[in-house]
Amino acid sequence: MSYDRTTLLAAAQTRGDQHYREMGQRLGVSRATAWRLWTGRSAPSAVTAAAVEREYGVPARHLLAPAAA
């Protein structure tokens, strides 16, 4: 499985977050973590995935995409 940032970005933008800093503030993560999520450099931790679900209504399983074979 790999992280699919498009789902998170769509949910963030639906809530009005147009920049990774806004998303980071809403999720309660550092700017660096928000940037890594926004750019797809890293997947959310379990704690961050829970914040995504709480703030954006996106379950963790929707943030993951099957790995290409």
Side-chain angles (χ1 to χ4, degrees), residues 45-69:
S45 67
V47 171
T48 303
V52 169
E53 185 164 1
R54 181 181 63 249
E55 296 297 329
Y56 298 125
V58 177
R61 69 181 181 277
H62 292 171
L63 297 176
L64 301 175

